[in-house]
Amino acid sequence: MKAKVMLGLFMTAAVSMPAWAADWTVGANVGNVPWEFQDAKGEFVGFEVDVVKEVAKRAGKSVEFVNIPFNGLFSAVQSKRVEIAISSITITPKRLESVAFAQPYFDSDQSLTSLTTSKVKSLTDMNGKVVGVDTGSTGDMWIGQHKDEYKFADVSRYEGLSPAMLDLASGRIDGYLSDIPAVLYYIKDKPQFNIVARIPTGERYSLMHAKGWAMSDQVNGIISKMKEDGTLGKIHKQWFGTDADKESSTMKVTPVLK
């Protein structure tokens, strides 16, 4: 087992931590492609996995990744069972009431995906239809705010993109509402799916941690350096195949939102 990083440990929030203890335990909703997922060897990989590993390396810390359902990440951080949580977590005023974030490092919007053979070609076509969403996500919040406007027949909730897309493919739901970068990555070689609406929400992702965490200032400083020396831009290009916008949170040092 490597001294600095132990990958491939697949756990749930209910499982106790092993005797070997890393400096930082990082909670992640594994299966959240391309942010954090398992490769063919069972190792944890992804955009945010690479970001955390680089931050930890520069801080001289070892990390251990544990799999926690998205909704459980917030209590895991608050109870300090994990030092950091990742899973394309959007910074929101409501979340800032109980947890804290480093400066944002990725900009995003929501999207609606349907089958290319479906009659659903826009949000208005979801009238009387079943929409899928990730439990507790900002997409879930958006649906709660707009369900009367778009008159969804029902809402099916999932713990990650993959099971939702399987249900969309089989016709158990009519549309899937989720973060657009993750969906674009997932469907790039799957022509049976089509993003039919980009929903502007102006979301920004970052590492989540407990309020008052002693490492917060150092971690934020490291992220600033990773933006300035081009490391974050390189990680972005590796995972998305394109250069990040120079004005985006991936490239520009921005204040910590409080």
Side-chain angles (χ1 to χ4, degrees):
M1 191 173 293
K2 294 182 180 179
K4 281 294 180 184
V5 179
M6 183 172 72
L7 299 178
L9 179 62
F10 199 84
M11 300 176 62
T12 66
V15 178
S16 60
M17 298 302 174
W20 182 89
D23 295 318
W24 292 348
T25 302
V26 180
N29 181 29
V30 178
N32 184 31
V33 179
W35 310 105
E36 40 275 321
F37 60 103
Q38 286 184 299
D39 64 12
K41 298 178 181 178
E43 295 182 337
F44 286 6
V45 296
F47 176 90
E48 288 183 303
V49 171
D50 285 352
V51 170
V52 170
K53 286 168 64 178
E54 182 63 22
V55 170
K57 177 183 175 182
R58 296 188 186 200
K61 302 294 182 180
S62 58
V63 295
E64 172 193 357
F65 294 90
V66 295
N67 184 28
I68 299 175
F70 185 81
N71 245 11
L73 292 172
F74 302 91
S75 61
V77 163
Q78 288 176 277
S79 66
K80 300 182 181 179
R81 285 185 289 124
V82 302
E83 279 72 33
I84 293 170
I86 54 173
S87 282
S88 53
I89 306 173
T90 300
I91 306 167
T92 70
K94 182 66 175 176
R95 289 170 177 171
L96 286 169
E97 292 176 7
S98 56
V99 295
F101 292 84
Q103 64 175 288
Y105 51 61
F106 200 93
D107 302 330
S108 181
D109 287 318
Q110 292 292 304
S111 63
L112 177 69
T113 304
S114 68
L115 292 174
T116 53
T117 55
S118 170
K119 293 182 179 180
V120 174
K121 304 298 181 186
S122 68
L123 275 166
T124 55
D125 294 333
M126 288 298 293
N127 188 328
K129 305 292 187 182
V130 179
V131 63
V133 71
D134 297 334
T135 303
S137 65
T138 46
D140 199 355
M141 297 175 194
W142 188 93
I143 286 175
Q145 295 164 356
H146 295 86
K147 60 183 179 182
D148 293 336
E149 178 182 355
Y150 292 104
K151 299 179 174 60
F152 305 114
D154 199 6
V155 180
S156 293
R157 291 178 169 84
Y158 298 88
E159 298 300 334
L161 181 147
S162 294
M165 295 299 276
L166 288 174
D167 271 9
L168 180 61
S170 66
R172 283 189 283 270
I173 59 176
D174 301 290
Y176 174 54
L177 199 143
S178 187
D179 300 344
I180 194 165
V183 177
L184 283 169
Y185 187 92
Y186 182 87
I187 70 172
K188 64 183 179 180
D189 57 352
K190 299 177 180 64
Q192 68 269 36
F193 299 112
N194 187 36
I195 293 177
V196 296
R198 183 177 187 125
I199 306 167
T201 51
E203 297 177 48
R204 291 187 284 179
Y205 306 154
S206 190
L207 310 179
M208 184 171 69
H209 56 79
K211 286 181 174 292
W213 185 40
M215 295 292 299
S216 61
D217 288 344
Q218 183 178 355
V219 165
N220 193 64
I222 289 171
I223 292 174
S224 292
K225 291 293 185 183
M226 289 170 61
K227 292 181 180 185
E228 292 167 346
D229 66 21
T231 301
L232 262 173
K234 289 177 183 177
I235 295 173
H236 181 283
K237 188 160 188 176
Q238 174 189 343
W239 286 102
F240 295 98
T242 60
D243 292 324
D245 189 303
K246 291 182 179 179
E247 297 302 310
S248 71
S249 296
T250 306
M251 303 300 289
K252 291 186 69 174
V253 175
T254 57
V256 173
L257 300 177
K258 299 181 179 180

